[in-house]
Amino acid sequence: MIIGATATLFNNLPGLFITDGGFDLPNVANFLNKIITPIQPILLQLVFVTINILALLVALLNGYNLGKINAQKVSSVTPLVTSILSGVSLLCFIDFAKLSKNFDYPSYILGSPSLFAGIIISILSVELYTFLIKKNFTIKMPNGVPPMISAAFTSIIPVTVVIIVFSVFGQGFEGFDFLTIFNKLFAYLVVGGSSWITQFFAFLLDRLLWFVGLHGSNIVSSVMNPIWTTQVTDNIAAFNAHQPIPYMFTEQWMNNYVRVSLFPVALLCTISKVKRFNVLGKLSLPGTIFNIAEPIMYGLPVVLNPIMFVPWVLGFAATFLFNVVLSLIGLTPPMVAMTVWTMPAPLAAFIGSGFKFGALAISLLNFVLIFFIFYPFFKVLEKQELANELKTKE
């Protein structure tokens, strides 16, 4: 996805300097166009083979990992077979007569619009395959046959049954396009999950889980990832097509504007009079620049620290709502690309927004906001630590 998003950014780079809506530097725009136009087919191909087949890739990976789980229960189940079977099962729902050479019928059907369908279809195909294996709907080979050959014959009947069943449901009913129906149903889930209210509660849960020592980001993303992935890929596609960006409150919006990093807290530690805090700040400051927060979370600590509850949970919640207001009044540029999670938030906001300096400024503003939210509570914690140091010396 990062490869496809980066290719999209490069493809649209001249638009940053055009007269209408850009920096009004037409000579720069023309110069970039001369460079990018010859390599545009390559850039578009990078999008087609990444973002535009995302649902297929998810089906393959989902099928492989589910196959590994089922293999622990039924030894004859092979993850490689379940992976391929999941991909083929999704393709059973594709009308290849309408599929264009760029895999974008309609609106890149193998991409994010079919993401939820890819997950569901891969699960159903693997479970049906596992059920048939478990019930011995297989061809049994003599004991002397090599294991690889025997495994291939074991899979023939279950795989055949699954592909026939999914082909019947995929294209066997005239006038019914089940994949389109799936996608329309799950589109309501994406729209519902994309509102700032839904995102706020997901973010609040993230902060609460982190506070009790659990990796809130991983836990929440396990539920929200399909929605977030659909949002950002739809934004990338709209940006590439020079259309209005459909989603503002994406995971990237949250990461680059709200979550930013604990760099302000590490900075507070480096200027602290408490020796332990000072050492912790110097050690953690480089990591927090690149969004690695664990040294502060468990070293300060923030986790299970009642003094830090207000800035960590309520303070970040207030930061979230502040950014919602900025977005609703049109000051915040939406995110139209993905960046690696270790990229500093202001730089990620600048690149992810399609090189908008407003995004960079708002991200930096949130660093300052978080600094002042944590400051009074950090001072209380510092006062307690200084008192403890005096008692230790006595």
Side-chain angles (χ1 to χ4, degrees):
M1 289 174 63
I2 291 173
I3 291 170
T6 303
T8 299
L9 284 175
F10 274 108
N11 192 36
N12 288 273
L13 193 57
L16 185 65
F17 301 95
I18 60 176
T19 301
D20 186 14
F23 290 129
D24 194 16
L25 296 171
N27 291 334
V28 176
N30 292 334
F31 173 75
L32 290 173
N33 271 321
K34 290 178 182 178
I35 296 174
I36 291 174
T37 300
I39 63 170
Q40 196 169 49
I42 299 172
L43 295 175
L44 292 175
Q45 189 70 0
L46 289 174
V47 176
F48 295 143
V49 300
T50 53
I51 293 172
N52 285 22
I53 59 167
L54 184 63
L56 178 61
L57 297 176
V58 167
L60 291 167
L61 293 170
N62 201 52
Y64 181 82
N65 285 288
L66 184 55
K68 284 205 300 184
I69 294 171
N70 287 0
Q72 297 172 7
K73 307 170 189 175
V74 183
S75 59
S76 299
V77 171
T78 308
L80 181 60
V81 173
T82 58
S83 176
I84 296 171
L85 183 61
S86 294
V88 173
S89 296
L90 175 60
L91 294 177
C92 287
F93 287 81
I94 301 293
D95 184 352
F96 283 91
K98 296 180 181 178
L99 193 66
S100 78
K101 61 181 180 180
N102 293 325
F103 300 100
D104 55 5
Y105 142 76
S107 183
Y108 56 109
I109 193 70
L110 289 175
S112 62
S114 302
L115 183 61
F116 282 95
I119 293 171
I120 299 298
I121 289 169
S122 66
I123 292 172
L124 293 175
S125 64
V126 173
E127 292 300 335
L128 179 56
Y129 168 82
T130 303
F131 172 80
L132 294 172
I133 292 278
K134 189 175 181 180
K135 294 299 181 180
N136 292 318
F137 285 97
T138 61
I139 297 175
K140 295 179 176 61
M141 302 300 291
N143 293 332
V145 176
M148 288 183 66
I149 297 175
S150 179
F153 276 94
T154 299
S155 299
I156 284 178
I157 292 178
V159 166
T160 302
V161 171
V162 172
I163 291 177
I164 290 174
V165 168
F166 279 75
S167 292
V168 169
F169 279 98
Q171 295 297 319
F173 297 90
E174 188 176 354
F176 284 91
D177 186 342
F178 283 96
L179 189 58
T180 300
I181 294 171
F182 276 147
N183 293 345
K184 285 183 179 179
L185 289 175
F186 287 119
Y188 292 112
L189 181 61
V190 174
V191 171
S194 66
S195 72
W196 71 263
I197 298 174
T198 305
Q199 300 287 356
F200 174 73
F201 283 109
F203 180 74
L204 192 62
L205 180 60
D206 170 286
R207 300 292 95 172
L208 288 168
L209 289 170
W210 265 114
F211 184 75
V212 297
L214 300 174
H215 200 300
S217 304
N218 283 351
I219 294 171
V220 171
S221 66
S222 66
V223 177
M224 295 295 293
N225 249 339
I227 294 173
W228 286 338
T229 302
T230 301
Q231 286 181 305
V232 70
T233 50
D234 283 357
N235 279 8
I236 292 169
F239 178 70
N240 199 37
H242 304 287
Q243 295 175 349
I245 307 303
Y247 300 110
M248 170 61 76
F249 304 107
T250 61
E251 183 186 20
Q252 289 69 35
W253 175 90
M254 199 159 21
N255 290 342
N256 299 336
Y257 293 132
V258 183
R259 209 176 340 233
V260 284
S261 82
L262 287 183
F263 173 79
V265 183
L267 188 61
L268 283 169
C269 288
T270 60
I271 59 177
S272 174
K273 298 175 183 178
V274 177
K275 185 177 180 180
R276 181 175 74 84
F277 290 171
N278 192 262
V279 173
L280 174 65
K282 291 176 181 177
L283 290 173
S284 60
L285 198 64
T288 55
I289 293 173
F290 299 98
N291 306 318
I292 299 169
E294 281 77 3
I296 294 293
M297 292 299 298
Y298 298 102
L300 186 60
V302 173
V303 170
L304 294 176
N305 187 337
I307 296 174
M308 289 288 110
F309 178 85
V310 173
W312 175 255
V313 178
L314 302 182
F316 266 108
T319 305
F320 187 103
L321 295 174
F322 169 71
N323 281 277
V324 167
V325 173
L326 292 183
S327 299
L328 292 177
I329 62 178
L331 293 180
T332 305
M335 293 293 113
V336 296
M338 291 185 67
T339 56
V340 293
W341 69 272
T342 51
M343 182 177 290
L347 181 59
F350 175 66
I351 296 174
S353 62
F355 309 107
K356 299 289 175 56
F357 285 101
L360 173 66
I362 291 173
S363 186
L364 289 171
L365 175 63
N366 281 292
F367 270 98
V368 176
L369 182 63
I370 290 169
F371 179 90
F372 285 107
I373 286 174
F374 271 87
Y375 182 81
F377 299 93
F378 180 83
K379 283 299 180 181
V380 172
L381 193 63
E382 185 182 52
K383 186 177 180 180
Q384 290 183 355
E385 285 292 320
L386 286 171
N388 289 334
E389 285 183 0
L390 286 174
K391 285 182 181 179
T392 304
K393 289 179 181 179
E394 293 174 359

